[in-house]
Coordinates of all heavy atoms in Angstrom, one line a residue:
A708 N 19.7 -5.3 13.8 CA 18.2 -5.4 13.7 C 17.7 -4.7 12.5 O 16.8 -5.2 11.8 CB 17.6 -4.9 15.0
G709 N 18.2 -3.5 12.2 CA 17.7 -2.8 11.1 C 18.0 -3.4 9.8 O 17.2 -3.4 8.8
T710 N 19.1 -4.1 9.7 CA 19.5 -4.9 8.5 C 18.5 -6.0 8.2 O 18.0 -6.2 7.1 CB 20.9 -5.5 8.6 OG1 21.8 -4.4 8.7 CG2 21.2 -6.3 7.3
L711 N 18.1 -6.7 9.3 CA 17.1 -7.8 9.1 C 15.7 -7.2 8.7 O 15.1 -7.8 7.8 CB 17.0 -8.6 10.4 CG 15.9 -9.7 10.4 CD1 16.4 -10.8 9.4 CD2 15.7 -10.3 11.8
V712 N 15.3 -6.1 9.4 CA 14.0 -5.6 9.0 C 14.0 -5.1 7.6 O 13.0 -5.3 6.9 CB 13.7 -4.4 10.0 CG1 12.4 -3.7 9.6 CG2 13.5 -5.0 11.4
T713 N 15.1 -4.4 7.1 CA 15.2 -4.0 5.8 C 15.1 -5.2 4.8 O 14.4 -5.1 3.8 CB 16.5 -3.2 5.5 OG1 16.5 -2.1 6.4 CG2 16.6 -2.7 4.1
G714 N 15.8 -6.3 5.1 CA 15.7 -7.4 4.3 C 14.3 -8.0 4.2 O 13.9 -8.5 3.1
T715 N 13.6 -8.0 5.3 CA 12.2 -8.5 5.2 C 11.3 -7.7 4.3 O 10.4 -8.2 3.7 CB 11.6 -8.6 6.6 OG1 11.5 -7.3 7.2 CG2 12.4 -9.5 7.6
Q716 N 11.6 -6.4 4.2 CA 10.9 -5.6 3.2 C 11.0 -6.1 1.8 O 10.0 -6.2 1.1 CB 11.4 -4.1 3.3 CG 11.0 -3.4 4.6 CD 9.6 -2.9 4.6 OE1 9.0 -2.6 3.6 NE2 9.0 -2.8 5.8
F717 N 12.2 -6.4 1.4 CA 12.5 -6.9 0.1 C 11.9 -8.3 -0.1 O 11.3 -8.6 -1.2 CB 14.0 -6.9 -0.2 CG 14.6 -5.6 -0.4 CD1 15.4 -5.0 0.6 CD2 14.4 -4.9 -1.5 CE1 15.9 -3.7 0.5 CE2 15.0 -3.6 -1.7 CZ 15.7 -3.0 -0.7
L718 N 12.0 -9.1 0.9 CA 11.3 -10.4 0.8 C 9.8 -10.3 0.7 O 9.1 -11.1 0.0 CB 11.7 -11.3 2.1 CG 13.2 -11.7 2.1 CD1 13.4 -12.4 3.5 CD2 13.5 -12.7 1.0
G719 N 9.3 -9.3 1.5 CA 7.8 -9.1 1.4 C 7.4 -8.7 0.0 O 6.3 -9.1 -0.5
A720 N 8.2 -7.8 -0.7 CA 7.9 -7.5 -2.1 C 7.9 -8.7 -3.0 O 7.0 -8.8 -3.8 CB 8.9 -6.4 -2.6
I721 N 8.8 -9.6 -2.8 CA 8.8 -10.8 -3.6 C 7.6 -11.7 -3.3 O 7.0 -12.3 -4.2 CB 10.1 -11.6 -3.3 CG1 11.3 -10.8 -3.8 CG2 10.1 -13.0 -4.0 CD1 12.7 -11.4 -3.4
G722 N 7.2 -11.7 -2.0 CA 6.0 -12.4 -1.6 C 4.8 -11.9 -2.3 O 3.9 -12.7 -2.7
R723 N 4.6 -10.6 -2.4 CA 3.5 -10.0 -3.1 C 3.4 -10.5 -4.6 O 2.4 -10.8 -5.1 CB 3.5 -8.5 -3.0 CG 3.4 -8.0 -1.6 CD 3.5 -6.4 -1.6 NE 3.5 -5.9 -0.3 CZ 3.1 -4.7 0.1 NH1 2.8 -3.8 -0.8 NH2 3.2 -4.3 1.3
I724 N 4.6 -10.5 -5.2 CA 4.6 -10.9 -6.6 C 4.3 -12.4 -6.7 O 3.5 -12.8 -7.6 CB 6.0 -10.6 -7.2 CG1 6.3 -9.1 -7.2 CG2 6.2 -11.2 -8.6 CD1 7.8 -8.8 -7.6
G725 N 4.8 -13.2 -5.8 CA 4.5 -14.6 -5.8 C 3.1 -14.9 -5.6 O 2.5 -15.8 -6.3
A726 N 2.5 -14.2 -4.7 CA 1.0 -14.4 -4.4 C 0.2 -14.1 -5.6 O -0.8 -14.8 -6.0 CB 0.6 -13.6 -3.2
G727 N 0.6 -13.0 -6.3 CA -0.2 -12.6 -7.5 C 0.0 -13.6 -8.6 O -1.0 -14.0 -9.3
A728 N 1.2 -14.1 -8.8 CA 1.4 -15.2 -9.8 C 0.6 -16.4 -9.5 O 0.1 -17.1 -10.4 CB 2.9 -15.5 -10.0
W729 N 0.6 -16.8 -8.2 CA -0.2 -18.0 -7.7 C -1.6 -17.8 -8.1 O -2.3 -18.7 -8.5 CB 0.1 -18.1 -6.2 CG -0.7 -19.1 -5.5 CD1 -1.3 -20.3 -6.0 CD2 -1.1 -19.1 -4.2 NE1 -2.0 -21.0 -5.1 CE2 -1.9 -20.3 -3.9 CE3 -0.9 -18.2 -3.1 CZ2 -2.4 -20.5 -2.7 CZ3 -1.4 -18.5 -1.9 CH2 -2.2 -19.6 -1.6
S730 N -2.2 -16.6 -7.8 CA -3.6 -16.4 -8.1 C -3.9 -16.5 -9.6 O -5.0 -17.0 -10.0 CB -4.1 -15.0 -7.6 OG -3.6 -14.0 -8.4
D731 N -3.0 -16.1 -10.4 CA -3.2 -16.3 -11.9 C -3.2 -17.7 -12.2 O -4.0 -18.2 -13.1 CB -2.0 -15.6 -12.7 CG -2.1 -14.1 -12.6 OD1 -3.2 -13.5 -12.4 OD2 -1.1 -13.4 -12.9
R732 N -2.3 -18.5 -11.6 CA -2.2 -19.9 -12.0 C -3.4 -20.7 -11.6 O -3.9 -21.6 -12.4 CB -0.9 -20.5 -11.2 CG -0.6 -21.9 -11.6 CD 0.6 -22.4 -10.9 NE 1.0 -23.8 -11.3 CZ 1.6 -24.2 -12.4 NH1 1.9 -23.2 -13.3 NH2 1.8 -25.4 -12.7
V733 N -4.0 -20.4 -10.4 CA -5.2 -21.1 -10.0 C -6.5 -20.5 -10.5 O -7.6 -21.0 -10.3 CB -5.2 -21.3 -8.5 CG1 -4.0 -22.0 -8.0 CG2 -5.3 -19.9 -7.8
G734 N -6.4 -19.3 -11.1 CA -7.6 -18.6 -11.6 C -8.5 -18.1 -10.5 O -9.7 -18.0 -10.7
S735 N -7.9 -17.7 -9.4 CA -8.7 -17.2 -8.3 C -7.9 -16.2 -7.5 O -6.7 -16.3 -7.3 CB -9.2 -18.4 -7.4 OG -9.7 -17.9 -6.2
R736 N -8.6 -15.2 -7.0 CA -8.0 -14.2 -6.0 C -8.4 -14.6 -4.6 O -7.5 -14.5 -3.6 CB -8.4 -12.8 -6.3 CG -8.4 -12.4 -7.7 CD -7.1 -12.4 -8.4 NE -7.3 -12.1 -9.8 CZ -6.4 -12.5 -10.8 NH1 -5.3 -13.2 -10.4 NH2 -6.6 -12.2 -12.0
L737 N -9.6 -15.0 -4.4 CA -10.1 -15.2 -3.0 C -9.7 -16.5 -2.4 O -9.5 -16.6 -1.1 CB -11.6 -15.1 -3.0 CG -12.2 -13.7 -3.5 CD1 -13.7 -13.7 -3.5 CD2 -11.6 -12.6 -2.7
G738 N -9.5 -17.5 -3.2 CA -8.9 -18.8 -2.6 C -7.6 -18.6 -2.0 O -7.3 -18.9 -0.8
P739 N -6.6 -18.0 -2.8 CA -5.3 -17.7 -2.2 C -5.4 -16.7 -1.0 O -4.6 -16.8 -0.1 CB -4.5 -17.1 -3.4 CG -5.1 -17.8 -4.6 CD -6.6 -17.9 -4.2
L740 N -6.3 -15.7 -1.1 CA -6.5 -14.8 0.0 C -6.8 -15.5 1.3 O -6.3 -15.2 2.4 CB -7.6 -13.8 -0.4 CG -7.9 -12.7 0.7 CD1 -6.6 -11.9 1.0 CD2 -9.0 -11.8 0.2
R741 N -7.7 -16.5 1.2 CA -8.1 -17.2 2.4 C -6.9 -18.0 2.9 O -6.7 -18.1 4.2 CB -9.3 -18.2 2.1 CG -9.7 -18.9 3.3 CD -10.9 -19.9 3.0 NE -12.1 -19.1 2.7 CZ -12.6 -19.0 1.4 NH1 -11.9 -19.5 0.4 NH2 -13.7 -18.3 1.2
T742 N -6.1 -18.6 2.1 CA -5.0 -19.4 2.5 C -3.9 -18.5 3.1 O -3.3 -18.8 4.2 CB -4.3 -20.1 1.3 OG1 -5.3 -20.9 0.7 CG2 -3.1 -20.9 1.7
V743 N -3.7 -17.3 2.6 CA -2.8 -16.3 3.2 C -3.3 -15.9 4.6 O -2.5 -15.8 5.5 CB -2.6 -15.1 2.3 CG1 -1.8 -14.0 3.0 CG2 -1.8 -15.5 1.0
A744 N -4.6 -15.7 4.7 CA -5.1 -15.3 6.0 C -4.8 -16.4 7.1 O -4.5 -16.1 8.2 CB -6.6 -15.1 5.9
I745 N -5.0 -17.7 6.7 CA -4.8 -18.8 7.6 C -3.3 -18.8 7.9 O -2.9 -19.0 9.1 CB -5.2 -20.1 7.0 CG1 -6.8 -20.1 6.8 CG2 -4.8 -21.3 7.8 CD1 -7.3 -21.3 6.0
A746 N -2.4 -18.6 6.9 CA -1.0 -18.6 7.2 C -0.6 -17.5 8.1 O 0.3 -17.7 8.9 CB -0.2 -18.6 5.8
A747 N -1.2 -16.4 8.0 CA -1.0 -15.2 8.9 C -1.3 -15.6 10.3 O -0.6 -15.2 11.2 CB -1.7 -14.0 8.4
V748 N -2.4 -16.2 10.5 CA -2.8 -16.7 11.9 C -1.8 -17.6 12.4 O -1.3 -17.4 13.6 CB -4.2 -17.4 11.8 CG1 -4.5 -18.0 13.2 CG2 -5.3 -16.4 11.4
I749 N -1.4 -18.6 11.7 CA -0.4 -19.6 12.2 C 1.0 -18.9 12.5 O 1.6 -19.1 13.5 CB -0.2 -20.7 11.1 CG1 -1.5 -21.5 11.0 CG2 0.9 -21.6 11.5 CD1 -1.5 -22.5 9.8
S750 N 1.4 -18.1 11.6 CA 2.8 -17.5 11.7 C 2.8 -16.5 12.9 O 3.8 -16.5 13.7 CB 3.2 -16.8 10.5 OG 2.4 -15.7 10.1
M751 N 1.7 -15.7 13.1 CA 1.7 -14.8 14.2 C 1.5 -15.5 15.5 O 2.1 -15.1 16.5 CB 0.6 -13.7 14.0 CG 0.8 -12.8 12.8 SD 2.4 -11.8 12.9 CE 2.1 -10.8 14.4
A752 N 0.7 -16.5 15.6 CA 0.5 -17.3 16.8 C 1.8 -18.0 17.2 O 2.2 -18.0 18.4 CB -0.6 -18.3 16.7
A753 N 2.5 -18.5 16.2 CA 3.8 -19.2 16.5 C 4.8 -18.2 16.9 O 5.6 -18.5 17.8 CB 4.3 -19.9 15.2
L754 N 4.8 -17.0 16.3 CA 5.8 -16.0 16.7 C 5.5 -15.5 18.2 O 6.4 -15.3 19.0 CB 5.7 -14.8 15.8 CG 6.5 -13.5 16.1 CD1 8.0 -13.9 16.1 CD2 6.3 -12.4 15.1
A755 N 4.2 -15.4 18.5 CA 3.9 -15.0 19.9 C 4.4 -16.1 20.9 O 4.9 -15.8 21.9 CB 2.3 -14.9 20.0
S756 N 4.2 -17.4 20.5 CA 4.7 -18.5 21.4 C 6.2 -18.4 21.6 O 6.7 -18.6 22.7 CB 4.2 -19.8 20.8 OG 4.7 -20.9 21.6
A757 N 6.9 -18.3 20.4 CA 8.4 -18.3 20.5 C 8.9 -17.1 21.3 O 9.8 -17.2 22.0 CB 8.9 -18.3 19.1
A758 N 8.2 -15.9 21.1 CA 8.6 -14.7 21.8 C 8.3 -14.9 23.3 O 9.1 -14.4 24.2 CB 7.9 -13.5 21.3
W759 N 7.2 -15.5 23.6 CA 6.9 -15.7 25.1 C 7.9 -16.6 25.8 O 8.2 -16.4 26.9 CB 5.5 -16.3 25.1 CG 5.0 -16.6 26.5 CD1 5.1 -17.8 27.2 CD2 4.4 -15.7 27.4 NE1 4.6 -17.7 28.4 CE2 4.1 -16.4 28.6 CE3 4.0 -14.4 27.3 CZ2 3.5 -15.8 29.7 CZ3 3.4 -13.8 28.4 CH2 3.2 -14.5 29.6
T760 N 8.3 -17.7 25.1 CA 9.3 -18.7 25.7 C 10.7 -18.3 25.5 O 11.6 -19.1 25.9 CB 9.0 -20.1 25.1 OG1 9.2 -20.0 23.7 CG2 7.6 -20.5 25.4
H761 N 11.0 -17.2 24.8 CA 12.3 -16.7 24.5 C 13.1 -17.7 23.6 O 14.3 -17.9 23.8 CB 13.1 -16.4 25.8 CG 12.6 -15.2 26.5 ND1 13.1 -14.8 27.7 CD2 11.5 -14.4 26.3 CE1 12.4 -13.8 28.1 NE2 11.4 -13.5 27.3
A762 N 12.4 -18.5 22.8 CA 13.0 -19.4 21.9 C 13.5 -18.7 20.6 O 12.9 -18.7 19.6 CB 12.0 -20.5 21.5
W763 N 14.6 -17.9 20.8 CA 15.0 -17.0 19.7 C 15.4 -17.8 18.4 O 15.3 -17.3 17.3 CB 16.2 -16.2 20.2 CG 16.0 -15.4 21.5 CD1 16.8 -15.3 22.5 CD2 14.8 -14.7 21.8 NE1 16.3 -14.5 23.5 CE2 15.0 -14.1 23.1 CE3 13.6 -14.4 21.2 CZ2 14.1 -13.3 23.8 CZ3 12.7 -13.6 21.9 CH2 12.9 -13.1 23.1
W764 N 15.9 -19.0 18.6 CA 16.2 -19.8 17.4 C 15.0 -20.0 16.5 O 15.2 -20.2 15.3 CB 16.8 -21.2 17.8 CG 15.8 -22.0 18.6 CD1 15.6 -22.0 20.0 CD2 14.8 -22.9 18.1 NE1 14.6 -22.8 20.4 CE2 14.1 -23.4 19.2 CE3 14.5 -23.4 16.9 CZ2 13.1 -24.3 19.1 CZ3 13.5 -24.3 16.7 CH2 12.8 -24.8 17.8
A765 N 13.8 -20.0 17.1 CA 12.6 -20.2 16.3 C 12.0 -18.8 16.0 O 11.4 -18.6 14.9 CB 11.6 -21.1 17.0
A766 N 12.1 -17.9 16.9 CA 11.4 -16.6 16.8 C 11.9 -15.8 15.6 O 11.1 -15.1 14.9 CB 11.6 -15.8 18.1
I767 N 13.2 -15.8 15.4 CA 13.8 -15.0 14.3 C 13.3 -15.5 12.9 O 12.8 -14.7 12.1 CB 15.3 -14.9 14.3 CG1 15.8 -14.4 15.7 CG2 15.8 -14.1 13.2 CD1 15.2 -13.1 16.1
P768 N 13.4 -16.8 12.6 CA 12.8 -17.2 11.3 C 11.3 -17.0 11.2 O 10.8 -16.7 10.1 CB 13.1 -18.7 11.3 CG 14.3 -18.9 12.2 CD 14.1 -17.9 13.3
L769 N 10.6 -17.1 12.4 CA 9.2 -16.9 12.4 C 8.9 -15.4 12.1 O 7.9 -15.1 11.4 CB 8.5 -17.3 13.7 CG 8.4 -18.8 13.9 CD1 8.0 -19.1 15.3 CD2 7.3 -19.4 12.9
L770 N 9.7 -14.5 12.6 CA 9.5 -13.1 12.3 C 9.7 -12.8 10.8 O 8.9 -12.1 10.2 CB 10.5 -12.2 13.1 CG 10.5 -10.7 12.8 CD1 9.2 -10.1 13.2 CD2 11.7 -10.1 13.4
V771 N 10.7 -13.4 10.2 CA 10.9 -13.3 8.7 C 9.7 -13.8 8.0 O 9.2 -13.2 7.1 CB 12.2 -14.0 8.3 CG1 12.3 -13.9 6.8 CG2 13.4 -13.3 9.0
A772 N 9.2 -15.0 8.4 CA 8.1 -15.6 7.7 C 6.8 -14.8 7.8 O 6.1 -14.6 6.9 CB 7.8 -17.0 8.3
A773 N 6.6 -14.3 9.0 CA 5.4 -13.5 9.3 C 5.5 -12.2 8.5 O 4.5 -11.7 8.0 CB 5.2 -13.2 10.8
S774 N 6.7 -11.6 8.4 CA 6.9 -10.4 7.6 C 6.5 -10.5 6.1 O 6.0 -9.6 5.5 CB 8.3 -9.9 7.7 OG 8.6 -9.6 9.1
V775 N 6.8 -11.7 5.6 CA 6.5 -12.0 4.2 C 5.0 -12.3 4.0 O 4.3 -11.8 3.2 CB 7.4 -13.1 3.7 CG1 6.9 -13.5 2.2 CG2 8.8 -12.7 3.7
I776 N 4.5 -13.2 4.9 CA 3.1 -13.7 4.8 C 2.1 -12.6 5.0 O 1.1 -12.5 4.2 CB 2.9 -14.8 5.8 CG1 3.7 -16.1 5.4 CG2 1.4 -15.2 5.9 CD1 3.7 -17.1 6.5
T777 N 2.3 -11.7 6.0 CA 1.3 -10.7 6.3 C 1.2 -9.6 5.3 O 0.2 -8.8 5.4 CB 1.6 -10.1 7.7 OG1 2.9 -9.5 7.7 CG2 1.5 -11.2 8.8
V778 N 2.1 -9.5 4.3 CA 1.9 -8.5 3.3 C 1.5 -9.1 2.0 O 1.2 -8.4 1.0 CB 3.3 -7.7 3.0 CG1 3.7 -7.0 4.3 CG2 4.3 -8.6 2.5
S779 N 1.4 -10.5 1.9 CA 1.1 -11.1 0.6 C -0.4 -11.0 0.2 O -0.7 -11.3 -0.9 CB 1.5 -12.6 0.7 OG 2.9 -12.7 0.9
D780 N -1.2 -10.6 1.1 CA -2.7 -10.5 0.8 C -3.0 -9.2 0.1 O -4.1 -9.1 -0.5 CB -3.5 -10.6 2.1 CG -3.2 -9.4 3.0 OD1 -2.2 -9.4 3.7 OD2 -4.1 -8.5 3.1
N781 N -2.1 -8.2 0.2 CA -2.5 -6.9 -0.3 C -2.9 -6.9 -1.8 O -3.9 -6.4 -2.2 CB -1.3 -5.9 -0.1 CG -1.1 -5.6 1.3 OD1 -1.9 -5.9 2.2 ND2 0.0 -4.9 1.6
G782 N -2.0 -7.5 -2.7 CA -2.3 -7.5 -4.1 C -3.5 -8.3 -4.4 O -4.3 -8.0 -5.3
L783 N -3.7 -9.4 -3.7 CA -4.8 -10.3 -4.0 C -6.1 -9.6 -3.7 O -7.1 -9.6 -4.5 CB -4.8 -11.6 -3.1 CG -3.5 -12.5 -3.3 CD1 -3.5 -13.5 -2.2 CD2 -3.6 -13.1 -4.6
A784 N -6.3 -8.9 -2.6 CA -7.5 -8.2 -2.2 C -7.7 -7.0 -3.2 O -8.8 -6.7 -3.6 CB -7.4 -7.7 -0.8
F785 N -6.6 -6.3 -3.5 CA -6.7 -5.2 -4.3 C -7.2 -5.5 -5.7 O -8.1 -4.9 -6.3 CB -5.3 -4.5 -4.5 CG -5.3 -3.1 -4.8 CD1 -5.6 -2.1 -3.8 CD2 -4.9 -2.6 -6.0 CE1 -5.5 -0.8 -4.1 CE2 -4.9 -1.3 -6.3 CZ -5.2 -0.4 -5.3
T786 N -6.7 -6.6 -6.3 CA -7.1 -7.1 -7.6 C -8.6 -7.6 -7.5 O -9.3 -7.3 -8.4 CB -6.2 -8.3 -8.0 OG1 -4.8 -7.9 -7.9 CG2 -6.5 -8.7 -9.5
A787 N -8.9 -8.3 -6.5 CA -10.3 -8.8 -6.3 C -11.3 -7.6 -6.3 O -12.4 -7.7 -6.9 CB -10.4 -9.6 -5.1
V788 N -11.0 -6.6 -5.5 CA -11.9 -5.4 -5.5 C -12.1 -4.8 -6.8 O -13.2 -4.5 -7.3 CB -11.3 -4.4 -4.5 CG1 -12.1 -3.1 -4.6 CG2 -11.5 -4.9 -3.0
A789 N -11.0 -4.6 -7.6 CA -11.0 -4.0 -8.9 C -11.9 -4.8 -9.8 O -12.7 -4.3 -10.6 CB -9.6 -3.7 -9.4
E790 N -11.7 -6.1 -9.8 CA -12.4 -7.0 -10.7 C -13.8 -7.1 -10.4 O -14.7 -7.1 -11.3 CB -11.7 -8.4 -10.7 CG -10.3 -8.5 -11.3 CD -9.7 -9.8 -11.2 OE1 -10.1 -10.6 -10.2 OE2 -8.9 -10.2 -12.0
I791 N -14.2 -7.1 -9.1 CA -15.6 -7.3 -8.8 C -16.3 -6.0 -8.9 O -17.5 -5.9 -9.3 CB -15.7 -7.8 -7.3 CG1 -15.1 -9.2 -7.2 CG2 -17.1 -7.8 -6.8 CD1 -14.9 -9.7 -5.8
A792 N -15.7 -4.8 -8.6 CA -16.4 -3.5 -8.6 C -16.7 -3.2 -10.1 O -17.6 -2.5 -10.3 CB -15.5 -2.5 -7.9
G793 N -15.8 -3.6 -11.0 CA -16.0 -3.3 -12.4 C -15.5 -1.9 -12.8 O -15.0 -1.1 -12.0
P794 N -15.5 -1.6 -14.1 CA -14.8 -0.4 -14.6 C -15.4 0.9 -14.2 O -14.7 1.9 -14.3 CB -14.8 -0.6 -16.2 CG -16.0 -1.5 -16.4 CD -16.1 -2.4 -15.2
F795 N -16.6 0.9 -13.8 CA -17.2 2.2 -13.4 C -17.3 2.4 -11.9 O -17.8 3.5 -11.5 CB -18.6 2.3 -14.0 CG -18.6 2.4 -15.5 CD1 -19.0 1.4 -16.3 CD2 -18.1 3.6 -16.1 CE1 -18.9 1.4 -17.7 CE2 -18.1 3.7 -17.5 CZ -18.5 2.6 -18.3
W796 N -16.9 1.4 -11.1 CA -16.9 1.6 -9.7 C -15.6 1.2 -9.0 O -15.5 1.4 -7.8 CB -18.0 0.7 -9.1 CG -19.4 1.4 -9.0 CD1 -20.3 1.5 -10.0 CD2 -19.9 2.2 -7.9 NE1 -21.3 2.3 -9.6 CE2 -21.1 2.7 -8.3 CE3 -19.4 2.5 -6.7 CZ2 -21.9 3.5 -7.5 CZ3 -20.2 3.3 -5.8 CH2 -21.4 3.8 -6.3

Side-chain angles (χ1 to χ4, degrees):
T710 300
L711 178 66
V712 172
T713 302
T715 62
Q716 290 280 331
F717 289 104
L718 291 175
I721 295 171
R723 294 181 185 200
I724 296 173
W729 172 29
S730 74
D731 287 340
R732 185 176 181 82
V733 300
S735 167
R736 316 299 174 202
L737 299 180
L740 179 60
R741 183 180 292 103
T742 302
V743 169
I745 294 170
V748 174
I749 295 171
S750 63
M751 292 303 297
L754 178 60
S756 176
W759 178 266
T760 59
H761 294 180
W763 307 135
W764 60 271
I767 304 305
L769 285 168
L770 174 66
V771 174
S774 298
V775 175
I776 291 168
T777 57
V778 302
S779 297
D780 65 284
N781 289 350
L783 298 172
F785 207 75
T786 308
V788 168
E790 290 177 333
I791 295 168
F795 292 107
W796 272 86

